[in-house]
Structures are given as C-alpha cells and as structure tokens.
Amino acid sequence: MTDMSVIMGKFMSRSNKLTSRDRLVRAAIEVFGTRGYHATRVSDLVSHAGVAHGTFYLYFDNKEAIFLYLVDDFFTRLQNQTLDRFPASAVANTGELNAQLLEMWRSILGHCRCEPFLTALILRESYAVSLASRTRVEERFAQTITSIGTYLKELAKRGIIRGSVTDASAWGILGLIERAIHYAVVVNPEAEVDTLAHEFLQIELNGLLGDREGLGAA
Amino acid sequence: MTDMSVIMGKFMSRSNKLTSRDRLVRAAIEVFGTRGYHATRVSDLVSHAGVAHGTFYLYFDNKEAIFLYLVDDFFTRLQNQTLDRFPASAVANTGELNAQLLEMWRSILGHCRCEPFLTALILRESYAVSLASRTRVEERFAQTITSIGTYLKELAKRGIIRGSVTDASAWGILGLIERAIHYAVVVNPEAEVDTLAHEFLQIELNGLLGDREGLGAA
Amino acid sequence: MTDMSVIMGKFMSRSNKLTSRDRLVRAAIEVFGTRGYHATRVSDLVSHAGVAHGTFYLYFDNKEAIFLYLVDDFFTRLQNQTLDRFPASAVANTGELNAQLLEMWRSILGHCRCEPFLTALILRESYAVSLASRTRVEERFAQTITSIGTYLKELAKRGIIRGSVTDASAWGILGLIERAIHYAVVVNPEAEVDTLAHEFLQIELNGLLGDREGLGAA
Amino acid sequence: MTDMSVIMGKFMSRSNKLTSRDRLVRAAIEVFGTRGYHATRVSDLVSHAGVAHGTFYLYFDNKEAIFLYLVDDFFTRLQNQTLDRFPASAVANTGELNAQLLEMWRSILGHCRCEPFLTALILRESYAVSLASRTRVEERFAQTITSIGTYLKELAKRGIIRGSVTDASAWGILGLIERAIHYAVVVNPEAEVDTLAHEFLQIELNGLLGDREGLGAA
DNA sequence: AATGAATGAGAATTCATTCAT
DNA sequence: AATGAATGAATTCTCATTCAT
C-alpha cells in the first residue's frame, strides 16, 4: 500500500516475496497506526500480515518489542534524513540559515508524509505504550533535544541567532516541529509541503511578529 | 457534581471528608498520571482511593469514563484560565501584546505546575486511551486551535502581528505551548515560571532570530 | 395496571395507598413476568415498585424468596379456584362430567387470563430459577398431579371414564392444561375463553378422533 | 461440524480422542442438565470438559451460545427422527393412524430417553435462559406447532380424525407430548417405553373417555 | 521456518445484600 | 419503616504467549 522501499529501507529486487518479518513490520505500522497500539491485538497483526501466531514470536519477543523496533527505526531514519544532513557549521549567516532550515522543514515534512501511519503512531502513542517503552522514547526525545540544542547553541555562539536560546527553547522548537508534522500528516495531508515549510520556518525564525525590518519597511 | 476539592486541590470547608467520587477522581489523576492509563487497573484506582470496587461503578461507567471526565475537566479549566481571560480585543499594540502573552504564559505554566500528574497524563496519553477517547480529545484540541486561530487572526487583522498567520501557524503555536508545558512540568519542574514564561514568549513572538531591532542595536 | 384484588387477594378499601410489600409483589409479577427472573435485578424490582433497596429486604429474605412467594401464591389460588371447587364426587355420568370439566376449563383459563404476567412466569421459568426453587416447584406439580390423579381414578372407578388411566395419564393431562393456558394467555390472548374451553375439553375427553358416536352419526 | 460422538453418545471410530469442542458440548449437556443453566459457570463447563477457559471461547461466543447450539441441535434431531419420518400422507385410516402414532410415540420417548440430560434441560429451561434465547426457542416451538398443525389438518381433511382440530389443538397436543416426555425421562425413567407409548397414544386419540365403541362393547 | 490450537493469568464488571442513618 | 451509598465476592471474557507438530 505504501512504498515498500521507504518502509523497509532495504533492497527488494531479489525477490518480490516479503519475508514474514517484513510483513509483520508493515502490518504493525498500518494497524498500530490506525487502531492504536492498545486496541491492536497480536492476532490483528498476524492476520493482517498473513502469518501464524507462532511466526510473530519467531521474530519479536513480544508485542512491545515490535513497537519499540518501530520507534527506534523511525527516530533513526528521521535523524539521518534531517539534523544529521544539516550541520550548523555549514551556515555562515542569516540567509544561509534560512535556506538550510527551509530545506530541513521540507525534508522532515516530506519524510513524515511518506509514512503517515508510523508518524501518527509515534506522535500519538509513543509515550503511552508502557512504562518501559516510555523510558526508551524519552531517551530518543532527549537525544533529539540534544541535537537541536547543540545546533542552536552553535548558531547562537556565532551570532547567527539570538544568544538567549536554552534547553527550554529546544523543547519549544521540538513542540513546534511535532505539531507541524501533525498538521502536515494528519490535519491537512493535502497541503503543499513547500508552503507548509515556509510557514513553519517563518514561525521558527521570526515568531508571530515576523521579520521586524520587513514589518518596518511595510 | 463539580467538586472544588478536586479542582482546587484544597480541602473543602464544609467537611474534611471527601466523597467517594472525589476520592476516585483524585486517585485517578495520581495513578493514571504516574503509571499511565493502560498500566492502571481499576483495582489500583479503588485501592488508592480507599473505596470498594463496586463504588467505582457507582460513579463512572468504566475506566475510560473517568479518564474522559479528567480530560474534559482539564481542558475546560485550562481554557477558562487562559485564552478566555485574555481577549485579543484588549490588545492595542505590540507592547500590550507582549504584556498579555507574558501573563498568559505565566498563567498556563503556573496552572499546569499545580496539577503535574494530570498535565503529564494529558500530554502523554490523551490520544492513546481508545479510539473513542481519541475522537473526544481531537475535538478538544480542535476547539483550542479555533481559539488560538481566532486570537491570532484578530491580531493580524489589526496589524499587531504579521498578516500571514494561518491554521498551520495555530498548530505550530499549540505545539510550542505543549512542549513548553512539558518542559515546565516534567523536564525542569524546578525552573522559575517567570523565567520560562519570558523564554517561551520570546520564541513565540520573535522566533529564533529574536527581536531584529534589539539585535541590530546590540 | 392489573386488577388489584386479584393480585393481592386482600381488601383494599381501607386505604388506596399500597403497602411497600404489595408494591414489591406487583412489581415482581410484572418485571419477572416480562423480563424473566434472571434478567431482573433487585434494583429493577425496587425502582419499579418505587421503594428503596433496603425496603426490599425488610419484606423478603432475598430475590429467590419473593419468587417462591409468587409461586406458592399462584398454585394455591389456582388450586382453590379449580380442582378444589369441582369434586369428582359431584359427577354422576358422562354428561355431568362434560359440564364440570367445561366449567373447570373456563375457570382455569379465565383465572390465568387475569394474571398473564404471573402465569407466563410460572409456565416459563418455574423450574429454572434455582435448584432450591426447582424442588419447591416440583413439589407443587407433584401435588397437582396427585389431585388430577385422584380425580381421574375416582371417575375411572365409577366407570365414568375409561379404566386405564394412570399417573402417566395425569401428567399428560397436566401438559395439555399447561399448553392450553399458554395458548390462551400468550399465543392467542384475544381468543374467547369459552371457545377455547370447548376446544380443550374436546381433546381432553375424546382426543383427536373425537366422539365416536357423534362421528358415526355424522 | 456436526459431531456424531455427541449426537449418538458413542465413541468415534477414527480416533478415541474427542475434540475440545466435543468435550465442551458433552460437558454442557451434562452440567446444564444437572445443575441448570444459570447455576452452571463457564468454569464448571471447562473443568468438566477438561479444557482451559480460553478454549471455551475458541468455540463459542459465550455461555448462551453453547446453550443455543444445544437447543437447535436437539430440535433438529428430534424433528428429523419424529414428524419428518411419519407423514400424514402415509395414513389411510384410523388403524393406520393408530399404528403410525404408536411408532411416533415410541420414537420420541425412545429418543429422549437416550439423552435424558439434554431433554430435561430443554423441557425445564429453554424459555428461561435469556430474552434472546427465549425468542429462538419460541421460534423452534412455533415450527413444531406448524408441523403438528399441518399433520392434523391433513388428517382432518381426509376424515381420519375429527374435523374440528385447530392451532389450539396443536398446542394442546404439544403439551401432552412435553409432559409425556417429562414423565418418561424424569418422573419414571424405569417404565417401559412401549407401555408409555400405548398410554399416551390412547389419550391422544381417544382422550379420557376412551374408545366409545370399545366402551360400549365392554 | 512455520503453524495454530490450547493455555491461563489477569482484568473488567455486575449485582445481591448490608447497615449506618 | 425506610433509605440508598457502599460493599466485595463472584463471574465472564480477553488476549499475549507457548509448544507440539
């Protein structure tokens, strides 16, 4: 249903027959993402994947394990395709920052648009699966915050953004990104990614008041 | 029916003996907020509340019903204490906006700090309880978005903020607020509300680049 | 709803206000008779009767007790109004037997038509309430069989009916009566009692073949 | 799906190991038939059948479902072995009717004697399990009445029995049959089926007065 | 590698009954 | 005599997990 290569991140040329494991992962993304983790029974997963109950336990220790796999996979791929590709060191001035962040927004929103089920699942349920998985998810978010924080501090140090950014700011930016993704994927999946990228970039860089100079000029 | 003791977190003046329903609501906030909704059994709730199993079903249809009550109650009170008290119409210029939003941030963060369990519960699990409750929660968030959107459009119309704010912007601001609350309540519950309010206000109004004029002046 | 004097078997002139006990008995007949014993909760009984839960236990030991009261009451009254009023000794020949049994059928069907709820309840559920109440009901039916058997043997002894009637016959007649009542009360409550009485009497006395002499004459 | 072992009360030839479903059906017949439906817990069923709780729900939706299965099965088999095998069309005169009905009585009583638990269960509790099952049982009895009625009308049309038989008569005959079965299975399980068949046939055809001609002759 | 019938611990929910007022 | 909030034992049902094949 969704593009295979994106979901699996693997080559699929050898055989057009998916392995049982792949089928289970795909089923989990779709069913968890639609019904929610807790409303999904292992039997839903296996029937959706077209495999037997026992087969599930051949590849995953338990229901939580496949969820955790999805989370790790999601965060890893998102990180690779976004922050890792856009180092603060490559930015010399406001104009370049503008360009880089625009690209980053495009990348994030585009990526999440490609896997709407998984994205919605992570946004909605990542904290709510179990105490154990909450801890794992908190670690992942903490890493993200560190990445964002490091990025921002680097820019601040070099005077490209204001100097007063802190960890709190990083959390705020994270929230902005999360709901931006939510908007792009869930609320308004028809909207152009480019338009949205500009819109959220504007808030990120200039807030509600917007570019003072532009405003002054107007 | 509305129980001040629960809402205010204070003892009632008439009698220092809480009703069974009050005890259950308090227990739910604490236990759901700590262990999470799904890891909480009705038996945890009643033992925490010090009432019998049957008593729970005297006041709530099921586990989901008490959660939904908490959600509605939370949103209603938060709305009352924030957006409802700060109309866009009372703002004439950037300075007044600054003051009003600062007050709003203080109010939101202060309010959520007072009920950390319930706040954390809503932030983490509101979407993940059940399909039915997800719908309810989505409605509540949709209302919030409408409030924020209306507020912003009013300000934009009067030229106090930039004219390009949209629904997407409202969702972005919502995300900022959510993670700001998360930071203030969960990540850094020791931080001064006032400091945080200034910090998030800065992002909200001026973004990462900050006040251009100030920046220029520096 | 149903005629009070019939249901209560008491005078009601002193006060038009029913006692709590009476209200409970009436409610039990109606609600047990409609919903069935097991689907009826004590709370249905008391809410239907307009009294409090505790009041129920002032008059009856438990839910089964009120059912048993209804059963005893029903059988006693039916016995009084039927077999007790029509002794075999009063019958001298076939013609008189015909007349007496017709009257008995009228009496039975008429009586049961007056309390359709209670009648349906007894017919449908008397054996199914509990092991204890089954025993009680079996005793009541055994008494009825004894009465019928005695009646038949007396007639047989005096050559008014055929000599070969046994206990088995008595049970067969009981079945006929039960389903006759069922038909008159449940299946076809509009049919004339008189017509039905003739019809069932015909089966009782002459079976399916009918009166041989009459048949021969025809 | 149909399980001969249960139906026939015999061991299957292929394998002497009953399936879980068979074991549950057998247990249900025995335990429901002894203790009664409402006094029987699902846990009684499974412990009697020697399977786990979960296994029960693998084969039946709930306790009511297995009861309904028993009812349908019972009625179907009884119908097949009685009315379906004895068409009114095969009867030409009173003598042949006598012979056919005698055979039918033998068949019914013999059949019910072979499954005393199930028979007693149906006779005692079929109406009392739940509102839903009452409806189902009423449908089954209505079908039976239709069968009996059709049979009787055919005979009446051809002058073999008296012309005045109606639906009411069919219900009366049904009652006679029910209590005859009850007598043969519950009250006097030692009595010879043949004797009983003659006895009930006598009532069915000639009623209490008996064969007029024979009586006159005597 | 795959199966799927069987398991049983564990959870939600009900409702007859009590008892302090 | 009447009340009705509170009780908690009892029961149904679910579903993640196992294991013999």
Side-chain angles (χ1 to χ4, degrees):
Chain A
M1 205 141 284
T2 32
D3 178 40
M4 205 171 184
S5 57
V6 168
I7 290 172
M8 297 168 46
K10 286 179 189 174
F11 295 105
M12 46 171 291
S13 48
R14 317 295 165 100
S15 157
N16 53 3
K17 197 162 140 258
L18 270 66
T19 66
S20 290
R21 191 179 190 286
D22 288 337
R23 301 166 71 86
L24 283 164
V25 169
R26 288 182 161 225
I29 289 170
E30 195 166 330
V31 187
F32 282 160
T34 312
R35 293 231 253 284
Y37 176 86
H38 282 100
T40 299
R41 287 157 296 155
V42 173
S43 68
D44 297 323
L45 253 29
V46 298
S47 68
H48 210 89
V51 302
H53 267 76
T55 306
F56 178 87
Y57 292 91
L58 240 34
Y59 297 106
F60 300 96
D61 281 347
N62 48 46
K63 191 178 140 183
E64 200 182 342
I66 194 170
F67 174 78
L68 250 22
Y69 167 78
L70 296 181
V71 168
D72 274 345
D73 192 50
F74 177 84
F75 272 94
T76 303
R77 283 181 296 110
L78 192 60
Q79 175 92 10
N80 289 344
Q81 295 190 23
T82 56
L83 286 169
D84 288 359
R85 284 175 46 214
F86 304 100
S89 55
V91 172
N93 53 46
T94 306
E96 283 178 23
L97 175 62
N98 217 306
Q100 187 183 69
L101 285 179
L102 183 60
E103 202 46 48
M104 210 186 301
W105 276 109
R106 279 191 189 117
S107 179
I108 293 173
L109 298 180
H111 178 88
C112 292
R113 272 273 177 86
C114 288
E115 19 188 11
F117 292 123
L118 185 52
T119 302
L121 174 62
I122 303 285
L123 288 175
R124 286 201 279 244
E125 312 219 28
S126 55
Y127 280 105
V129 161
S130 75
L131 235 27
S133 78
R134 177 155 113 200
T135 306
R136 179 82 136 269
V137 166
E138 281 171 344
E139 285 164 19
R140 285 307 218 153
F141 274 111
Q143 287 167 16
T144 306
I145 285 297
T146 304
S147 296
I148 296 176
T150 307
Y151 183 86
L152 296 182
K153 271 161 214 154
E154 169 79 12
L155 293 172
K157 203 175 64 187
R158 286 156 52 208
I160 299 171
I161 63 172
R162 66 184 157 84
S164 53
V165 292
T166 64
D167 252 23
S169 312
W171 280 100
I173 296 300
L174 175 63
L176 170 63
I177 296 170
E178 285 178 308
R179 282 300 192 182
I181 294 171
H182 174 82
Y183 183 81
V185 172
V186 177
V187 180
N188 196 352
E190 311 300 329
E192 286 237 348
V193 163
D194 215 61
T195 313
L196 296 177
H198 275 97
E199 193 140 358
F200 293 121
L201 173 64
Q202 175 75 319
I203 297 179
E204 188 181 18
L205 286 182
N206 299 306
L208 291 173
L209 293 179
D211 189 340
R212 217 39 25 92
E213 292 172 293
L215 206 71
Chain B
M1 204 136 283
T2 53
D3 35 88
M4 277 196 55
S5 60
V6 169
I7 292 170
M8 299 287 157
K10 290 177 191 169
F11 292 98
M12 297 171 79
S13 47
R14 317 292 170 100
S15 155
N16 52 3
K17 200 164 139 249
L18 270 64
T19 66
S20 289
R21 193 181 189 283
D22 288 339
R23 300 166 71 88
L24 283 164
V25 170
R26 290 184 162 217
I29 290 170
E30 196 169 327
V31 188
F32 283 159
T34 311
R35 291 230 250 287
Y37 176 85
H38 282 100
T40 300
R41 315 290 146 213
V42 173
S43 67
D44 298 324
L45 254 29
V46 298
S47 68
H48 208 89
V51 302
H53 258 80
T55 306
F56 177 88
Y57 292 93
L58 229 41
Y59 297 105
F60 300 97
D61 280 347
N62 47 46
K63 200 172 78 148
E64 198 183 342
I66 194 171
F67 175 78
L68 249 24
Y69 167 79
L70 295 182
V71 168
D72 274 345
D73 193 49
F74 177 84
F75 272 93
T76 303
R77 283 180 297 110
L78 193 60
Q79 174 93 10
N80 289 345
Q81 296 190 20
T82 57
L83 286 168
D84 288 358
R85 282 176 46 214
F86 303 101
S89 56
V91 172
N93 53 48
T94 306
E96 282 177 23
L97 175 62
N98 217 307
Q100 187 183 68
L101 285 179
L102 183 60
E103 201 46 49
M104 211 187 297
W105 276 108
R106 277 191 192 116
S107 179
I108 292 172
L109 299 180
H111 178 89
C112 293
R113 274 271 178 88
C114 287
E115 15 189 17
F117 291 123
L118 185 51
T119 301
L121 173 63
I122 302 285
L123 287 175
R124 285 201 280 246
E125 313 220 28
S126 56
Y127 280 105
V129 160
S130 75
L131 235 28
S133 79
R134 179 157 111 197
T135 306
R136 179 82 136 266
V137 166
E138 281 171 345
E139 284 166 19
R140 285 307 216 151
F141 274 112
Q143 287 167 17
T144 306
I145 284 298
T146 304
S147 296
I148 296 176
T150 307
Y151 182 87
L152 297 182
K153 272 160 215 154
E154 169 81 11
L155 294 173
K157 203 176 63 187
R158 286 158 50 208
I160 299 170
I161 63 172
R162 65 184 158 84
S164 55
V165 293
T166 64
D167 251 22
S169 313
W171 280 100
I173 296 299
L174 175 64
L176 169 63
I177 295 170
E178 284 178 309
R179 282 302 193 181
I181 293 171
H182 174 82
Y183 183 81
V185 173
V186 177
V187 180
N188 196 351
E190 310 302 327
E192 285 238 349
V193 163
D194 216 61
T195 313
L196 296 177
H198 276 96
E199 193 141 359
F200 294 119
L201 173 63
Q202 175 73 321
I203 297 179
E204 188 181 18
L205 286 182
N206 299 307
L208 291 172
L209 293 179
D211 188 340
R212 222 30 32 98
E213 292 174 290
L215 206 70
Chain C
M1 203 144 284
T2 33
D3 177 40
M4 202 173 188
S5 57
V6 168
I7 290 170
M8 297 167 45
K10 287 180 188 174
F11 296 106
M12 47 169 292
S13 49
R14 316 296 165 101
S15 156
N16 51 6
K17 196 162 142 259
L18 270 65
T19 66
S20 291
R21 192 180 188 285
D22 289 337
R23 301 165 71 88
L24 283 164
V25 169
R26 289 181 159 224
I29 290 170
E30 195 167 327
V31 187
F32 282 159
T34 312
R35 292 231 254 285
Y37 176 85
H38 281 99
T40 300
R41 289 157 293 156
V42 173
S43 68
D44 296 323
L45 254 31
V46 299
S47 69
H48 209 88
V51 302
H53 266 75
T55 307
F56 178 88
Y57 291 91
L58 239 35
Y59 297 105
F60 299 97
D61 280 348
N62 48 45
K63 191 178 140 184
E64 201 183 342
I66 194 170
F67 174 79
L68 249 24
Y69 167 78
L70 296 182
V71 168
D72 275 345
D73 192 50
F74 177 84
F75 273 94
T76 303
R77 282 181 297 111
L78 192 61
Q79 174 93 9
N80 289 344
Q81 296 191 20
T82 57
L83 287 168
D84 288 359
R85 284 175 45 214
F86 304 101
S89 56
V91 172
N93 52 48
T94 305
E96 284 180 22
L97 175 63
N98 218 307
Q100 188 184 69
L101 284 178
L102 183 61
E103 202 46 46
M104 211 187 297
W105 275 109
R106 279 193 190 112
S107 178
I108 292 172
L109 299 181
H111 178 88
C112 292
R113 273 273 178 84
C114 289
E115 17 188 14
F117 291 124
L118 185 52
T119 301
L121 173 63
I122 302 286
L123 288 175
R124 286 201 279 245
E125 313 219 26
S126 56
Y127 280 105
V129 160
S130 75
L131 237 29
S133 78
R134 177 155 113 199
T135 307
R136 178 83 138 267
V137 167
E138 281 170 345
E139 284 165 18
R140 284 307 216 154
F141 274 112
Q143 286 169 17
T144 307
I145 285 297
T146 304
S147 296
I148 296 175
T150 306
Y151 182 87
L152 296 182
K153 272 161 213 155
E154 170 81 11
L155 293 172
K157 203 175 64 188
R158 288 156 51 204
I160 300 172
I161 63 172
R162 64 184 160 85
S164 54
V165 294
T166 64
D167 251 24
S169 312
W171 279 101
I173 296 300
L174 175 63
L176 169 64
I177 295 170
E178 285 178 309
R179 282 301 192 178
I181 294 172
H182 174 83
Y183 183 82
V185 173
V186 177
V187 180
N188 195 350
E190 309 301 328
E192 285 238 347
V193 163
D194 216 59
T195 314
L196 296 177
H198 276 96
E199 192 141 356
F200 293 120
L201 173 63
Q202 175 75 319
I203 298 178
E204 187 181 19
L205 287 181
N206 300 305
L208 290 173
L209 293 179
D211 189 341
R212 228 17 41 92
E213 291 172 292
L215 206 69
Chain D
M1 207 138 281
T2 55
D3 35 90
M4 278 196 53
S5 61
V6 170
I7 292 169
M8 299 287 159
K10 289 175 191 169
F11 290 98
M12 297 174 78
S13 46
R14 316 293 171 99
S15 155
N16 52 4
K17 199 164 140 251
L18 271 64
T19 66
S20 290
R21 191 179 190 284
D22 288 340
R23 301 165 72 87
L24 283 164
V25 170
R26 289 183 163 219
I29 290 170
E30 196 167 326
V31 187
F32 282 160
T34 312
R35 292 230 252 286
Y37 176 85
H38 281 101
T40 299
R41 316 288 147 218
V42 173
S43 68
D44 297 325
L45 255 29
V46 297
S47 67
H48 208 88
V51 302
H53 257 83
T55 307
F56 177 86
Y57 292 94
L58 229 41
Y59 297 105
F60 300 97
D61 281 347
N62 47 45
K63 199 170 77 146
E64 198 183 343
I66 194 170
F67 174 79
L68 250 24
Y69 167 78
L70 295 182
V71 168
D72 274 345
D73 193 49
F74 177 84
F75 272 94
T76 303
R77 285 180 297 109
L78 193 61
Q79 175 93 10
N80 289 345
Q81 297 190 20
T82 57
L83 286 169
D84 289 358
R85 283 175 45 214
F86 304 101
S89 56
V91 172
N93 52 48
T94 306
E96 283 179 22
L97 175 62
N98 217 304
Q100 189 183 70
L101 285 179
L102 183 62
E103 202 46 48
M104 212 187 298
W105 275 108
R106 279 193 189 113
S107 180
I108 292 172
L109 298 180
H111 177 89
C112 292
R113 272 273 177 85
C114 287
E115 19 189 12
F117 291 123
L118 185 51
T119 302
L121 174 62
I122 302 285
L123 288 175
R124 285 201 280 246
E125 312 219 28
S126 54
Y127 280 105
V129 160
S130 75
L131 235 28
S133 79
R134 178 156 113 197
T135 307
R136 180 84 137 265
V137 166
E138 282 170 344
E139 284 165 18
R140 285 307 216 152
F141 275 113
Q143 287 168 15
T144 306
I145 284 298
T146 304
S147 296
I148 297 176
T150 307
Y151 182 86
L152 297 182
K153 272 159 215 156
E154 170 78 11
L155 294 173
K157 203 175 63 188
R158 287 156 51 207
I160 300 171
I161 62 171
R162 64 183 158 85
S164 54
V165 293
T166 63
D167 252 23
S169 312
W171 280 100
I173 297 300
L174 174 64
L176 170 64
I177 296 169
E178 285 178 308
R179 282 301 192 179
I181 294 171
H182 174 82
Y183 183 81
V185 173
V186 177
V187 180
N188 196 352
E190 309 301 328
E192 286 237 347
V193 161
D194 215 61
T195 315
L196 295 177
H198 276 97
E199 192 140 358
F200 293 120
L201 173 63
Q202 176 75 319
I203 297 180
E204 187 180 18
L205 286 181
N206 300 304
L208 291 172
L209 294 178
D211 188 342
R212 218 36 28 90
E213 292 171 289
L215 206 71

